Amino acid sequence: MKRNVASQLLASILVNAVYAMKNMPVMLINTLLTPFSFLIVITFISRGSLLGVAIEGALIMTMVSNGLGLQGDLSHLKNDMKLQEMVVGSPTSATIYLTGMAISELIYALPALILLAILAVLFLSLTPFGIISIVGAMVMIFIVSVALGFFFSTLTADVIQSFAFGGMLSTILSALPPVYYLITYIPMPFRYLAYISPTTYAAEIAQNAAGFINISTTNLVLDWSILAVFAVVFLFIAIKKSRWVDI
Amino acid sequence: MPEIICKNLSKRYDKDRLALDKINLSLKLNGVFSLIGRNGAGKTTLVRILSTTLLPSAGSAYIDGMNVMSEAGKIRERIAVVPQEARPIGWMTPKEMISSYLMWRGFSYRESIKRSEEALDLLGITKFANRLSQRLSGGTKRKVLVATAIASDADIIFLDEPTTGLDPISRGELWDLLLKLKKTRFIFLTTHYLEEAEILADRIGILENGKLLSVGNLHELRNKMGYPYSIKILGSVKEIKINKGRIVKGRDGHTQIFTTEKEARRLGSILIKRKTRFSINPVSLEDIFYYFTKEEVGEES
Ligand SMILES: Nc1ncnc2c1ncn2[C@@H]1O[C@H](COP(=O)(O)OP(=O)(O)OP(=O)(O)O)[C@@H](O)[C@H]1O
Ligand SMILES: [Mg+2]
């Protein structure tokens, strides 16, 4: 039979985003609220001066947390439902499953992204190039998070492992990097630590694009290159090294 | 005729224990093959390896000439699996669950909905079509999963304990369905209900401790056992000399003798003379299962 790839992608989107939100509306509230918690806190303690940075931070963070969210979602489907086993033993390849599920996380993030985009238009002054830069950084960091999330989900056999992997990944991708504030706030030797995290490069690109910091063209190119390398390497690992078939 | 072939197929999860021990098997890809065996015998392990979701540790396996390791992609075009511990996704309805699975298989949305409605109807669970799965009973959840495989285009279907948790009527209904289905598709089924294997299976495999003890249809298994008749006596048989056969302590105070037809006749006439109450029957699958998997109680003579 001729298999419809669009259908195969849509299946993941329906299962992990559309049906989840339609049948369990509480998830919709969650996805809307989460990005705003930090935004509000940072804005208040900076007496409003960091509002713009925090909006950008929330945009980046929404991509990271929904990308990493894939790890928890897929671990649950794999270990508690044995769904992955049904999918592995079917014509759906790992790449199609990963792509569909990645899109599902984006759709799940859509309500928050729309609200944040409105705030960005209202409170940030962006050039067209700035907008492209921010969206590009968001896409890159999403690829990194989704790839890592997928890879680690295939290694889990139990929900406890999934919690552990989730905690580790979110420390590296969301706690360590200066997303809601400027990287210049971090004192010098520690700043290098932040550069371990791919998110730092995305944040730096976004903050530069909105004019909150000024980095040299060389550094900007370097940021993009490093981010691209992270994305390509992790995507390669996700597709080639994931444990799709159990050992 | 296409086949499933296993050559010295072994699986070792941990260092000290083999879950599958050099399985050699060749099965025509038609009808129902039923794998029976005690808990931990290795049934699920074999199902998972053949359905390309688990790697073997040694040996090889082929489905219609395709290697389960190097040609898994091609095999996956043809198979559908319902794992032993699978559950429908709680936040979805049975219709959403079945149709999503079909979409993963590459059916259009419309075709998937149509096929899922038909499958729900076949399994008699149309009235639950739009209820969240988390609110369904255990047996209905099981039926939803079986429906995914039945609704699919797969011509090789792996069902790992599909009827566990089904009430006797539902089980009978599923049997009827599988009997129809097996005319056009191959079904690899594991079960703890020996009656189910007897009714559905064209061939039966007995797995014990990772070893495939015997394979064949009921008639062949009886012959392999060597004793096609079973005599059941209430009480003991101490005073009777048995020339040929095996004595097993029955499960309900009976003594059971597996023996040949000739010996069964001889013993029968002795028992009649002694006015002992007894029954003679051809051995059932249950007898065969006990014979192959349980440690011996009586001695063979
Ligand atoms: N993931 C695993 N890791 C380690 N050992 C395992 C794993 N899965 C199964 N085993 C072991 O392999 C052996 C065979 O298990 P398997 O699940 O194949 O048995 P089964 O015949 O399906 O049993 P049941 O009737 O209880 O479903 C058992 O000893 C089991 O403990
Ligand atoms: Mg099992």
Side-chain angles (χ1 to χ4, degrees):
Chain A
M1 110 182 215
K2 179 98 186 63
R3 302 194 192 275
N4 184 338
V5 177
S7 261
Q8 291 179 302
L9 294 174
L10 185 58
S12 300
I13 296 166
L14 287 175
V15 168
N16 202 41
V18 178
Y19 292 147
M21 288 196 272
K22 170 172 98 56
N23 297 340
M24 311 243 136
V26 63
M27 298 187 67
L28 199 65
I29 301 171
N30 173 50
T31 176
L32 266 176
L33 279 184
T34 315
F36 292 94
S37 53
F38 259 99
L39 190 148
I40 290 165
V41 171
I42 296 293
T43 307
F44 283 162
I45 53 177
S46 69
R47 296 179 195 282
S49 66
L50 283 178
L51 173 66
V53 178
I55 291 172
E56 269 187 352
L59 278 167
I60 300 270
M61 220 38 147
T62 302
M63 301 310 265
V64 171
S65 60
N66 282 283
L68 290 183
L70 191 67
Q71 197 271 127
D73 289 349
L74 292 193
S75 298
H76 177 56
L77 292 175
K78 171 176 189 267
N79 303 313
D80 305 330
M81 309 291 173
K82 302 285 174 211
L83 177 82
Q84 189 170 310
E85 210 169 309
M86 291 175 67
V87 173
V88 172
S90 88
T92 307
S93 66
T95 311
I96 288 179
Y97 189 64
L98 163 63
T99 311
M101 285 294 177
I103 301 172
S104 82
E105 296 291 341
L106 269 186
I107 297 209
Y108 184 61
L110 215 53
L113 289 176
I114 292 171
L115 271 186
L116 289 170
I118 294 171
L119 289 182
V121 169
L122 292 176
F123 294 101
L124 299 177
S125 48
L126 293 169
T127 61
F129 180 72
I131 294 174
I132 294 170
S133 299
I134 293 174
V135 172
M138 285 166 66
V139 170
M140 287 292 209
I141 200 64
F142 182 70
I143 293 174
V144 168
S145 325
V146 142
L148 283 173
F150 181 76
F151 173 70
F152 281 100
S153 78
T154 66
L155 300 188
T156 61
D158 193 276
V159 65
I160 301 276
Q161 277 174 314
S162 155
F163 288 154
F165 283 134
M168 277 154 39
L169 288 173
S170 100
T171 303
I172 293 170
L173 288 190
S174 44
L176 201 59
V179 182
Y180 288 98
Y181 50 91
L182 302 175
I183 187 150
T184 46
Y185 288 17
I186 309 178
M188 202 38 201
F190 298 107
R191 210 178 287 174
Y192 291 114
L193 205 62
Y195 282 111
I196 294 173
S197 174
T199 318
T200 303
Y201 302 93
E204 204 165 73
I205 290 168
Q207 290 169 3
N208 181 66
F212 297 123
I213 54 171
N214 252 311
I215 54 176
S216 67
T217 313
T218 324
N219 276 342
L220 193 61
V221 170
L222 203 62
D223 279 356
W224 276 112
S225 315
I226 293 172
L227 200 52
V229 169
F230 269 121
V232 169
V233 169
F234 288 146
L235 207 54
F236 176 82
I237 291 174
I239 290 170
K240 293 286 174 198
K241 301 287 169 197
S242 290
R243 195 179 293 165
W244 188 239
V245 175
D246 268 334
I247 53 167
Chain B
M1 173 67 83
E3 281 181 310
I4 287 187
I5 291 170
C6 301
K7 287 183 190 158
N8 290 322
L9 191 69
S10 297
K11 178 67 189 180
R12 192 186 284 281
Y13 292 104
D14 309 315
K15 278 205 193 80
D16 51 328
R17 231 187 134 263
L18 275 173
L20 288 180
D21 190 359
K22 296 208 176 99
I23 301 289
N24 285 296
L25 177 68
S26 111
L27 281 178
K28 297 261 179 297
L29 276 172
N30 64 350
V32 172
F33 172 70
S34 182
L35 191 59
I36 58 178
R38 303 193 60 188
N39 293 134
K43 301 180 295 300
T44 297
T45 305
L46 183 55
V47 166
R48 295 196 62 203
I49 290 174
L50 292 176
S51 60
T52 75
T53 68
L54 177 72
L55 291 179
S57 314
S60 53
Y62 300 84
I63 294 183
D64 197 1
M66 299 172 284
N67 187 306
V68 292
M69 291 167 77
S70 59
E71 293 169 292
K74 279 200 245 164
I75 293 177
R76 290 170 186 155
E77 292 285 325
R78 306 236 337 245
I79 62 171
V81 202
V82 177
Q84 178 176 0
E85 292 174 76
R87 285 191 290 142
I89 298 168
W91 64 81
M92 282 159 59
T93 67
K95 191 155 127 188
E96 289 167 349
M97 178 75 207
I98 301 166
S99 58
S100 302
Y101 174 76
L102 294 177
M103 288 173 71
W104 265 312
R105 295 196 71 96
F107 287 104
S108 70
Y109 177 77
R110 186 183 292 205
E111 176 75 7
S112 302
I113 292 286
K114 190 176 132 252
R115 279 178 168 252
S116 62
E117 282 167 353
E118 287 163 4
L120 285 163
D121 188 41
L122 278 176
L123 281 145
I125 48 175
T126 302
K127 63 171 180 283
F128 302 117
N130 297 314
R131 189 186 286 193
L132 285 192
S133 295
Q134 59 181 204
R135 304 206 184 115
L136 299 175
S137 74
T140 309
K141 285 183 190 163
R142 204 74 202 127
K143 291 183 204 169
V144 171
L145 290 172
V146 173
T148 60
I150 290 178
S152 78
D153 56 312
D155 64 337
I156 300 165
I157 297 177
F158 293 92
L159 303 174
D160 197 354
E161 296 193 25
T163 59
T164 299
L166 296 199
D167 68 62
I169 295 171
S170 300
R171 188 174 300 146
E173 285 166 358
L174 184 58
W175 290 347
D176 288 341
L177 192 57
L178 294 179
L179 284 172
K180 264 187 247 159
L181 209 65
K182 78 171 193 173
K183 289 180 190 148
T184 50
R185 312 201 207 177
F186 171 72
I187 300 166
F188 190 116
L189 171 139
T190 74
T191 184
H192 288 298
Y193 300 104
L194 301 180
E195 186 195 0
E196 179 167 308
E198 254 180 81
I199 291 172
L200 296 179
D202 302 282
R203 307 192 76 196
I204 296 163
I206 301 176
L207 198 61
E208 174 67 5
N209 262 325
K211 291 195 172 67
L212 196 57
L213 299 181
S214 199
V215 182
N217 61 31
L218 203 52
H219 180 70
E220 289 163 345
L221 290 180
R222 279 193 188 114
N223 285 342
K224 276 186 195 157
M225 177 173 160
Y227 305 124
Y229 285 88
S230 147
I231 304 179
K232 265 189 184 175
I233 306 167
L234 194 58
S236 117
V237 282
K238 272 198 201 103
E239 324 82 70
I240 306 172
K241 171 149 173 30
I242 292 157
N243 294 334
K244 206 159 194 269
R246 191 199 275 200
I247 305 167
V248 179
K249 248 293 155 300
R251 284 142 263 150
D252 40 12
H254 284 89
T255 300
Q256 194 169 11
I257 305 162
F258 297 132
T259 187
T260 60
E261 186 173 348
K262 195 170 155 216
E263 179 69 357
R265 283 175 201 276
R266 193 185 72 82
L267 289 173
S269 56
I270 296 174
L271 290 166
I272 289 170
K273 274 184 210 145
R274 294 190 176 202
K275 296 199 165 59
T276 309
R277 288 181 66 177
F278 71 99
S279 64
I280 298 188
N281 287 301
V283 292
S284 64
L285 183 57
E286 193 166 329
D287 294 329
I288 297 169
F289 184 73
Y290 269 80
Y291 179 86
F292 278 114
T293 59
K294 209 178 162 192
E295 323 76 73
E296 227 168 293
V297 182
E299 77 247 39
E300 212 139 350
S301 42

